[in-house]
Amino acid sequence: MLAALVLPGRGFAQDTLPDGPVYVVQEGDTLWSVAVQFGISLNELTTYNQINNPDTVGIGTRLVIPGLAGVSGELKTEEVAFGEDLLSLSRKYRVSEIDLARLNHLTSPAELFVGRSLILPVQENVELPGDRSGLAEGQTALELAVLKGRNPWEIALLNELPGPIKAIPGDVLRLPGTSLSGPVGLPGEIEDLQLTPTPLVQGKAAVLQLKGSQGLAVAVSLLDDSFEFVGSENGSYYAILGVHAMTDPGLYPLAIKGTLANGAGFSFSQSIYIRSGGYPMDPVLVVSPETVDPAVTRPEDAQWTALAQPVTLQKQWQDLFVAPVPKEFAECWPSQYGNRRSYNGSPYSYFHTGLDFCGGVGTEIYAPAAGTVVFAGPLTVRGNATMIDHGWGVYSGYMHQSEIEVSVGDQVEVGQLIGLVGNTGRVTGPHLHFEIWAGGVQVDPMDWLEQVFP
Ligand SMILES: [Zn+2]
């Protein structure tokens, strides 16, 4: 009863609906989930709507939500996009910030994180104003209005400002116009901002695509890392974000900052959830002590990590990355990315930084995509190792090889022979340890074999 599933196709009409805003039941909803979403009890919801039999409720059923005096009309749920804040949503949906907060039980702006499901009033026949414009340092809304040939009081009214001189620098104001689109919390020069996936996931790469006018200088930061935007031919800029596998799940600020072609600065920050990657714990691994001696591992880790930091502007890969081993081994993985590890009984502070492929000593290794070799040589822990730069901050790494068939500076093509599988370095047997680096950290290589990054 508590989690009674709402089945499709059972829409029914209540005879007399009580007063209050209406939520129309969607696919996947249950009476329970609707009650939770609106912060009321299941009993309140069913009693208020005179529901005696939950089976009579289905997709399309109109439920009146109690306890929201002053709010009327139809409500819907929508995920908060990157670029929105309470003020911008308030302006977009023509509902006061106070009512938005009340509808969603918000107690702090930090709760408005990217990907959060939000209850919003459905807008019908409301012309949503179009242009967004940033206020330069020292510029007032009054000056902006004059500059844009607008009535300053119209702008004040539209943006719920007490008066045309009450806006503050860095504020993004809406101007009367056509339909509204794009990230409302950012200046109109930024036409579109798409982050995938949301929420972010430990150990996964994410792509932030920004469509905007020429002459934008933009940087994005998450945690202590900043990610560069790289341009492309079609008017889009891309930043590839890497989320470290050991980042604690939780809310983190994702910030975007930049300068418009006219020199006006802007910045925007919004929380985003990083969820667990669900990586399992491996049994304690026993290895020879010198291969986990910090005196050996630290300098080597630093050297290896430094190789993958530069962002070269030419994107060299096309389409999917291909498996770096012959067909018969392409889906043979003795160990996958992300597993939590303990060496010789240490705390589980290590993780498996790549995807291991089967293969005996001498099995061929191929480049998974075109790129430039930035490292080829012997290392203590990694054995004979190679690293390839694929551009845009994306690198691939190969360890424990018996032979290396390329040299630093070589340009390689997808499918080219680059080395042979071996058992050099910290290993218990021959295999290929294959890494993908994105945004300066190791990410799950499997994603790159299964989905196309831009
Ligand atoms: Zn490995």
Side-chain angles (χ1 to χ4, degrees):
M1 169 74 189
L2 275 187
L5 187 70
V6 173
L7 297 168
R10 294 289 203 95
F12 81 128
Q14 291 104 325
D15 296 335
T16 48
L17 287 171
D19 286 340
V22 171
Y23 176 76
V24 181
V25 175
Q26 307 293 310
E27 190 176 356
D29 284 340
T30 65
L31 283 172
W32 172 251
S33 71
V34 173
V36 167
Q37 187 155 34
F38 286 96
I40 53 176
S41 73
L42 182 65
N43 190 41
E44 276 178 279
L45 184 65
T46 53
T47 307
Y48 202 66
N49 287 275
Q50 299 146 41
I51 297 166
N52 300 314
N53 177 7
D55 290 347
T56 58
V57 176
I59 290 172
T61 301
R62 297 171 71 82
L63 297 172
V64 182
I65 309 302
L68 289 170
V71 180
S72 60
E74 201 174 294
L75 302 174
K76 63 169 181 173
T77 56
E78 192 177 294
E79 280 191 5
V80 178
F82 185 42
E84 303 280 11
D85 59 17
L86 199 57
L87 182 64
S88 72
L89 288 166
S90 151
R91 288 167 177 178
K92 185 171 169 182
Y93 288 95
R94 312 297 281 272
V95 55
S96 76
E97 289 178 75
I98 290 168
D99 280 347
L100 260 186
R102 202 158 59 95
L103 261 176
N104 292 282
H105 306 275
L106 299 170
T107 55
S108 138
E111 292 171 32
L112 217 61
F113 56 86
V114 182
R116 183 204 156 115
S117 174
L118 210 60
I119 300 159
L120 295 161
V122 173
Q123 293 294 328
E124 279 168 30
N125 304 322
V126 175
E127 194 192 323
L128 291 170
D131 294 346
R132 293 165 273 124
S133 187
L135 278 187
E137 193 70 39
Q139 191 181 36
T140 65
L142 183 62
E143 287 164 341
L144 180 73
V146 171
L147 195 69
K148 300 273 182 184
R150 304 288 189 179
N151 177 339
W153 284 102
E154 193 185 6
I155 288 179
L157 198 66
L158 194 60
N159 292 282
E160 295 183 6
L161 298 172
I165 55 167
K166 294 292 184 189
I168 53 169
D171 209 359
V172 175
L173 297 180
R174 287 187 358 208
L175 304 173
T178 53
S179 70
L180 184 70
S181 65
V184 201
L186 287 160
E189 284 81 352
I190 295 173
E191 292 152 26
D192 194 24
L193 195 59
Q194 298 285 339
L195 179 65
T196 44
T198 54
L200 300 173
V201 188
Q202 286 178 320
K204 304 276 181 182
V207 177
L208 185 58
Q209 180 182 6
L210 185 151
K211 282 202 176 101
S213 55
Q214 293 284 318
L216 280 172
V218 194
V220 62
S221 63
L222 175 72
L223 294 156
D224 296 328
D225 296 319
S226 68
F227 303 93
E228 289 180 42
F229 274 94
V230 279
S232 81
E233 317 79 44
N234 57 10
S236 283
Y237 302 79
Y238 293 93
I240 298 184
L241 283 59
V243 180
H244 196 281
M246 301 300 276
T247 306
D248 287 330
L251 282 173
Y252 295 91
L254 178 66
I256 187 164
K257 197 177 164 176
T259 313
L260 304 177
N262 68 1
F266 66 93
S267 65
F268 183 84
S269 178
Q270 188 173 10
S271 292
I272 188 160
Y273 194 69
I274 296 178
R275 73 166 174 81
S276 163
Y279 303 113
M281 284 163 90
D282 279 347
V284 173
L285 292 166
V286 179
V287 296
S288 63
E290 73 272 12
T291 59
V292 287
D293 179 358
V296 175
T297 59
R298 281 220 190 104
E300 188 181 309
D301 289 348
Q303 181 189 2
W304 189 247
T305 300
L307 288 166
Q309 301 309 306
V311 176
T312 50
L313 294 180
Q314 194 203 343
K315 172 179 171 260
Q316 298 205 43
W317 77 92
Q318 309 285 337
D319 215 338
L320 290 176
F321 279 51
V322 300
V325 289
K327 244 193 187 102
E328 63 265 36
F329 298 120
E331 290 187 12
C332 177
W333 306 298
S335 179
Q336 299 200 10
Y337 170 90
N339 294 20
R340 274 38 179 156
R341 286 186 165 176
S342 156
Y343 292 106
N344 302 338
S346 74
Y348 274 84
S349 52
Y350 298 87
F351 72 102
H352 188 224
T353 57
L355 174 63
D356 288 350
F357 283 93
C358 302
V361 173
T363 298
E364 294 189 333
I365 302 171
Y366 313 117
T372 308
V373 177
V374 294
F375 183 87
L379 296 168
T380 306
V381 179
R382 289 164 179 80
N384 291 323
T386 303
M387 192 181 275
I388 298 173
D389 178 5
H390 301 284
W392 287 18
V394 176
Y395 292 79
S396 58
Y398 312 80
M399 300 181 191
H400 314 308
Q401 301 168 94
S402 57
E403 301 276 350
I404 298 174
E405 304 288 347
V406 288
S407 311
V408 171
D410 283 359
Q411 180 64 34
V412 297
E413 295 308 318
V414 57
Q416 183 179 329
L417 177 70
I418 57 165
L420 302 176
V421 172
N423 54 6
T424 56
R426 188 174 70 194
V427 286
T428 49
H431 69 275
L432 171 66
H433 174 98
F434 172 60
E435 290 184 352
I436 295 284
W437 288 71
V441 299
Q442 293 114 329
V443 293
D444 190 348
M446 197 80 86
D447 295 338
W448 294 75
L449 303 174
E450 291 177 344
Q451 75 190 71
V452 178
F453 285 81

